Amino acid sequence: MLNCLKKIFSIFLIFNLTFVSSAQAAATFVYSFDVSTQDTTPRGLAFNNDGTKMFVVGDTGNDINSYTLSTGFDLSTATFNDINGDGSGFDVSGQEATPQYIKFNNDGTKMFVSGNSGDDINVYTLSTGFDLSTATFNDINGDGSGFDVSDQDEATRGFAFNNDGTIMYYIGNTDNDIYLYTLSTGFDLSTATFNDINGDGSGFDISGQETVPRGLTFNNDGTKMFVVGDNGNDINEYTLSVGFDLTSTVTHVGEFDISSQETNPQGIAFNTTGTKMFIVGNVGNDINEYTLSCAFKVTNSGKCEEPPKIKDVRGINDAQINTAKKFAEDTRVATFKRLDLLRANKYQNTSAQRIELLFQNELFKKVSNNVASSTQAKFNPIQKLDQILPNDWEAWTEGSISFGKIGETSLSSAQDIDGFGITVGADRKMDEDQILGVAVRVGNTDVDVGTFGSAVDTNALSLSVYGINSLEDKNFLKHVFGVSYLDSDIVRKDEGNTNTHTGDREGKQVFGSLDIGREYEDGDLTISSIGSIDGSYTALDSYTESGTNAISYNDQDIKSLMASLGVLIDRDINLENSNVKSRVNLEYGKEFTSNSKVVTSYVSDSESFEYQADNKNRDIYTAGLGLDFKHDQGLTISADYERQQIKGHGYINKFTLSTGFLYRNETELALDLSEDMTSNFKISKALDGFNLEFNLENDFSNQENHNANLSLTNKF
C-alpha cells in the first residue's frame, strides 16, 4: 500500500512539474524506493550499464543486495533479486564488517567494496558480469585483506574510477580529503600507488563545502565531480578543467539540497546519460530518484549551459552556414563548368536530349508546378523546355555528389558532410562573343554534427542566370547571379544522446560570382588563368526546437565575400570518332568576410545569449582533376573530382558528372531519386551499332554504398 501511494504521489508530482520551466529546476525528485526490508542502514549503490540491475551495499546485513529493474534506471520498476533464496544478498562479512561503498569495472567482471573495519577496498571477481551469484573474493595481498587506504584516512567512505580504471579517487571522513591513486593496470588494485598531489600526504580538500563526506562520483568525461555529504545534506558539484584531474583547476559550482528527502545521505549515482540522479540514505532507508533537466547539472539555479557554450549548438549553426555557402558555390561551379565546356568546344552545340527524372522525394516534387502530387511523379525538363524555348536555345544537365569533414574546434563540434545536386539549364548564343543562360538546381546536404546524433538535413532549390563574354586577346568574363530557397530539418541531441530536440528552418539566399580569365594555347595544351569574386547573402528564419530544454533561435543573416586566383590546364587527345580532354585545376581562395550573429535563448527562459559565428580570413585551397569525352555523333560526358581544403578546419570532396548531347541524336538519360535517398543515374547511347551505357548508383544514407559501371554491348 505504501509503495502504491508513493507511485501515485510521484505521478502527481511529475504531472504538475511538466508545466514548470525546465531551465529553472536542475534536479527534480520523482520517486523513492524502499530497501528497508533488505537492509536498514544502506550505504552505497551502483547500477549495471543499462540500468536493469541495481546493487545496494548495507551495513546491517554486511551484504550486497541486488535488484532487477524491468525499465532501465526506473526505480518504480525495481524488484529485489533473492540470489540465495533466504532474502539475503551477497555476503561480504568475511572481508568487511561495515561495508560503505560499491563500484564495478566497465563490464561488471570486477566488484569493489570499501569498508570502515579494515579501512580498505576489497576486490571480487565475477565470472558473469554483474551477476553476484558468480562473485568470489580476490585476495590481492594473500592475507585475506583488500587494498589498504588507512595511511591516508581511517574513515573509509566513497571512491570512484576514471573510465579505463587507471585512476582511483578515495574520499575519507577524517580529514575530509579526496585522495588520488594511480593504477599501472586498469582496475587492478594490486598495481595501485598513492599519488601525493600536495607533497604532504594530503589530498584534495573539500572541508570548505562538506565536513562529513560520504560518497563521490564523476560525469562521463570526468569534467564534473559530485560529493554527497551528511553534514549539509546536499550534493556538491565541482567542475574540473581537465577530466579526472584534481590537480587541474577545480571549481565548486554550488550545492543541491536533498534534506526534504533524506537527512543522512550516504551514496550517489547517475544513469549513463546524466539525466537521472540517485541518492541512498540511512534515515529513510531508501533510494531517491531525481530527474535532471540538463545532463549532470544539479546546481546553479538549474540553468543549463549557455547555448553558445554547447558544442553541438555551434556545430549545428556552423553546418547551416557552411551548407548555405556551399549551395551557392555548387550552383556557381555547375554553371561555370557548363560555360567551360562550351568554351573548350568553341561554343558548339552540346545540348542534352531525352532526359527523364523520376522524382519520389518530396522536395523535388516542388521543382515544377507540373509535377504531380502522387508518390511517383515524372518531370522531363528537356521536353518542357523544348515546348517553351525557341530553337536556338540549348539544354543541359549536371549531377554531383560530395562528401567531406569539418574538424572539431574548442568551441564547435565536427561535421561530417554528404551531399548531392542536380542542375538543369538552357542557354543560347547571343552573338559570337556572348552566351546567356538560365539554370535550376535542386540539392540535398546531410551533415552529421558531433558524436551524440545531432544532424542538419537541408534541401535547397535555386534559380540562376549565367553567361560568358569573350573579350579581346583570349580574355573572357563569366558570371552567374541567382536566388535560392533552403529548408533544413534539424536534430540536436544532448550530451550522451539524452534529450532529442527537433526543428525546421527555412531560408532565402541571393548570390553572385564574377570570373575573369585569359587563355594561353600551345598546340593541344590550353592554360587559363582565372580570378574570381564570389559573394552571397542568406537570411535564415527564426525557429524553435521541440523537446525538453528546447532552444529558440532568432533570425540570422549570413554574409560571405571571397576572392580567389586559379589556373586551369586542358589537354586535347584526338581519337577516331571522338575527343578526350583531360584537365587539372588549382585554386587559392581567401574569404574576407564571413560573419553571422547568432542569438539564442531557452524556450523557458527569456534571457538571450549571442555570439558571432565568423570565419574571417579563411584560406581555402582547391585542386581538381577532370575528363571530357565527346563523340562525333554528339555525346558528351564530363566527370570531375575536386578537393577543397579549408585551412585549419577540414575538407570537402566533390564528384561531378555532366552530360550533353546533340539534339538530333537518339540518346536517353534517366535519373531515379527515391524517398530513402537512393538514386540511380543511367545514360544510354547508340554508337555505330553498339550500345554505350553508364550506370551510377548512390545510397546517400550510407556513404560507403556507391557503385558505378560502364558497359559497351552489341547484339550479333
Side-chain angles (χ1 to χ4, degrees):
M1 180 68 179
L2 180 61
N3 286 335
C4 182
L5 291 174
K6 286 183 177 180
K7 289 184 180 181
I8 294 173
F9 175 74
S10 299
I11 294 171
F12 174 80
L13 189 62
I14 294 171
F15 178 80
N16 284 275
L17 287 172
T18 55
F19 299 95
V20 180
S21 163
S22 64
Q24 299 300 319
T28 304
F29 170 69
V30 294
Y31 191 75
S32 180
F33 178 74
D34 186 15
V35 296
S36 60
T37 303
Q38 288 76 50
D39 205 292
T40 55
T41 53
R43 299 292 189 181
L45 80 159
F47 292 87
N48 69 339
N49 297 329
D50 62 4
T52 57
K53 286 187 177 182
M54 179 176 68
F55 308 89
V56 180
V57 58
D59 197 352
T60 301
N62 299 323
D63 54 9
I64 312 297
N65 293 293
S66 171
Y67 302 82
T68 300
L69 290 75
S70 58
T71 301
F73 298 106
D74 183 354
L75 292 185
S76 67
T77 69
T79 56
F80 174 62
N81 185 9
D82 190 356
I83 61 175
N84 301 310
D86 59 1
S88 66
F90 177 77
D91 186 17
V92 296
S93 61
Q95 294 78 48
E96 179 59 58
T98 54
Q100 298 293 310
Y101 221 68
I102 181 174
K103 290 287 184 181
F104 289 86
N105 69 340
N106 297 331
D107 61 3
T109 57
K110 283 190 175 182
M111 178 176 68
F112 306 87
V113 180
S114 65
N116 278 350
S117 296
D119 296 322
D120 55 10
I121 300 173
N122 295 286
V123 184
Y124 302 82
T125 57
L126 292 76
S127 58
T128 302
F130 299 105
D131 185 353
L132 293 185
S133 66
T134 68
T136 57
F137 174 62
N138 186 358
D139 190 356
I140 60 176
N141 302 310
D143 58 0
S145 66
F147 179 74
D148 186 15
V149 294
S150 61
D151 288 344
Q152 284 71 58
D153 201 297
E154 294 183 350
T156 308
R157 298 298 182 187
F159 61 97
F161 294 93
N162 69 340
N163 295 329
D164 63 4
T166 57
I167 292 175
M168 181 181 74
Y169 286 106
Y170 152 67
I171 192 168
N173 205 160
T174 302
D175 296 323
N176 305 315
D177 281 357
I178 300 175
Y179 302 95
L180 167 64
Y181 303 82
T182 56
L183 291 74
S184 58
T185 303
F187 297 105
D188 184 355
L189 289 185
S190 67
T191 68
T193 56
F194 172 63
N195 191 339
D196 190 354
I197 59 177
N198 300 311
D200 58 1
S202 64
F204 180 79
D205 184 19
I206 59 169
S207 61
Q209 295 82 49
E210 179 59 61
T211 57
V212 191
R214 298 297 190 182
L216 84 160
T217 192
F218 292 83
N219 70 337
N220 297 331
D221 64 4
T223 56
K224 286 189 176 183
M225 179 177 70
F226 306 88
V227 176
V228 59
D230 193 358
N231 184 45
N233 298 319
D234 51 21
I235 311 300
N236 288 281
E237 179 181 335
Y238 303 80
T239 60
L240 289 72
S241 60
V242 179
F244 297 104
D245 186 359
L246 290 182
T247 65
S248 67
T249 302
V250 181
T251 303
H252 179 244
V253 177
E255 55 279 323
F256 176 72
D257 185 19
I258 59 170
S259 59
S260 297
Q261 292 81 46
E262 180 60 60
T263 56
N264 191 13
Q266 298 291 313
I268 181 172
F270 290 88
N271 66 343
T272 53
T273 59
T275 55
K276 285 190 175 184
M277 178 177 68
F278 305 88
I279 303 295
V280 59
N282 279 356
V283 172
N285 298 321
D286 49 18
I287 314 295
N288 294 291
E289 178 183 331
Y290 302 80
T291 60
L292 280 67
S293 57
C294 306
F296 296 104
K297 192 75 172 177
V298 301
T299 60
N300 197 25
S301 302
K303 288 205 173 182
C304 300
E305 194 170 14
E306 296 178 8
K309 296 181 179 179
I310 303 173
K311 280 192 164 185
D312 273 15
V313 169
R314 288 215 181 207
I316 287 171
N317 196 261
D318 288 348
Q320 296 174 68
I321 294 173
N322 292 330
T323 295
K325 294 192 295 183
K326 179 179 178 295
F327 190 69
E329 180 189 1
D330 288 347
T331 304
R332 162 192 173 265
V333 171
T335 55
F336 282 5
K337 283 187 180 296
R338 163 66 177 175
L339 294 173
D340 289 339
L341 179 65
L342 290 173
R343 186 168 54 85
N345 289 279
K346 311 303 180 184
Y347 305 111
Q348 297 177 21
N349 191 326
T350 54
S351 285
Q353 164 68 339
R354 300 171 55 191
I355 303 177
E356 185 177 80
L357 307 182
L358 305 177
F359 292 139
Q360 293 176 295
N361 185 276
E362 290 295 327
L363 171 75
F364 304 121
K365 296 176 185 178
K366 303 177 183 178
V367 174
S368 170
N369 293 328
N370 298 317
V371 178
S373 60
S374 62
T375 58
Q376 172 106 358
K378 294 184 179 181
F379 175 49
N380 191 328
I382 303 303
Q383 185 183 56
K384 298 296 181 184
L385 290 173
D386 285 342
Q387 297 172 2
I388 299 172
L389 299 176
N391 293 331
D392 55 351
W393 283 76
E394 304 170 6
W396 59 276
T397 187
E398 180 250 45
S400 65
I401 61 172
S402 60
F403 64 88
K405 184 178 181 65
I406 304 297
E408 182 179 8
T409 69
S410 59
L411 299 174
S412 180
S413 298
Q415 304 166 50
D416 288 306
I417 305 164
D418 287 299
F420 75 94
I422 304 163
T423 306
V424 177
D427 47 50
R428 71 180 294 264
K429 273 188 179 182
M430 307 305 292
D431 55 45
E432 291 300 319
D433 299 321
Q434 185 182 28
I435 288 178
L436 289 177
V438 294
V440 174
R441 182 176 178 87
V442 292
N444 173 271
T445 300
D446 186 19
V447 184
D448 293 327
V449 179
T451 58
F452 305 125
S454 301
V456 180
D457 188 8
T458 302
N459 293 316
L461 171 67
S462 74
L463 174 67
S464 60
V465 179
Y466 64 91
I468 186 171
N469 295 76
S470 295
L471 308 177
E472 296 181 353
D473 299 325
K474 298 287 186 180
N475 295 319
F476 58 88
L477 176 68
K478 297 185 293 185
H479 57 83
V480 61
F481 302 97
V483 295
S484 305
Y485 165 77
L486 300 95
D487 185 8
S488 298
D489 292 323
I490 302 164
V491 176
R492 180 176 65 85
K493 292 192 176 183
D494 288 340
E495 179 180 349
N497 197 23
T498 55
N499 297 322
T500 298
H501 315 272
T502 60
D504 179 81
R505 193 175 207 181
E506 297 181 349
K508 292 114 183 143
Q509 181 183 73
V510 294
F511 60 90
S513 297
L514 288 173
D515 279 18
I516 186 167
R518 180 179 176 86
E519 277 186 359
Y520 304 90
E521 293 184 347
D522 183 9
D524 60 359
L525 193 69
T526 302
I527 301 175
S528 302
S529 57
I530 303 171
S532 303
I533 296 179
D534 309 310
S536 66
Y537 172 79
T538 307
L540 299 180
D541 296 341
S542 62
Y543 80 102
T544 299
E545 298 174 336
S546 64
T548 305
N549 226 38
I551 297 173
S552 289
Y553 299 77
N554 288 9
D555 294 343
Q556 182 180 347
D557 297 333
I558 305 168
K559 303 173 185 177
S560 178
L561 181 64
M562 180 173 170
S564 58
L565 294 172
V567 60
L568 174 65
I569 304 173
D570 294 319
R571 184 174 183 180
D572 282 322
I573 304 174
N574 292 312
L575 305 173
E576 185 178 357
N577 299 322
S578 63
N579 173 269
V580 176
K581 183 184 293 292
S582 60
R583 58 182 170 272
V584 176
N585 68 286
L586 300 170
E587 185 179 284
Y588 165 74
K590 187 81 165 179
E591 194 159 25
F592 295 100
T593 301
S594 177
N595 59 75
S596 183
K597 185 171 72 172
V598 185
V599 181
T600 63
S601 63
Y602 284 106
V603 173
S604 54
D605 194 339
S606 60
E607 183 180 4
S608 61
F609 306 87
E610 66 177 64
Y611 71 96
Q612 197 71 25
D614 59 47
N615 292 306
K616 294 181 179 179
N617 301 319
R618 292 196 309 174
D619 295 309
I620 301 176
Y621 304 90
T622 303
L625 298 171
L627 193 70
D628 296 337
F629 171 82
K630 185 175 183 293
H631 196 272
D632 288 349
Q633 293 189 10
L635 170 65
T636 303
I637 301 176
S638 298
D640 290 89
Y641 164 75
E642 191 172 81
R643 181 177 179 101
Q644 187 181 80
Q645 193 76 39
I646 307 167
K647 186 178 180 181
H649 288 270
Y651 65 89
I652 300 288
N653 289 320
K654 184 177 181 181
F655 298 91
T656 303
L657 180 67
S658 306
T659 62
F661 309 96
L662 285 176
Y663 187 82
R664 66 178 182 269
N665 292 294
E666 293 294 323
T667 307
E668 293 183 359
L669 170 71
L671 176 64
D672 187 354
L673 295 172
S674 62
E675 189 70 44
D676 61 2
M677 303 313 294
T678 301
S679 71
N680 287 283
F681 186 69
K682 183 175 75 173
I683 303 171
S684 299
K685 176 73 177 177
L687 297 172
D688 298 329
F690 290 84
N691 185 58
L692 178 66
E693 185 173 294
F694 175 80
N695 208 331
L696 177 65
E697 180 181 346
N698 291 284
D699 182 357
F700 294 99
S701 65
N702 183 355
Q703 186 171 309
E704 298 180 354
N705 189 7
H706 304 296
N707 300 295
N709 62 77
L710 181 68
S711 63
L712 184 66
T713 59
N714 188 22
K715 292 184 179 180
F716 296 95

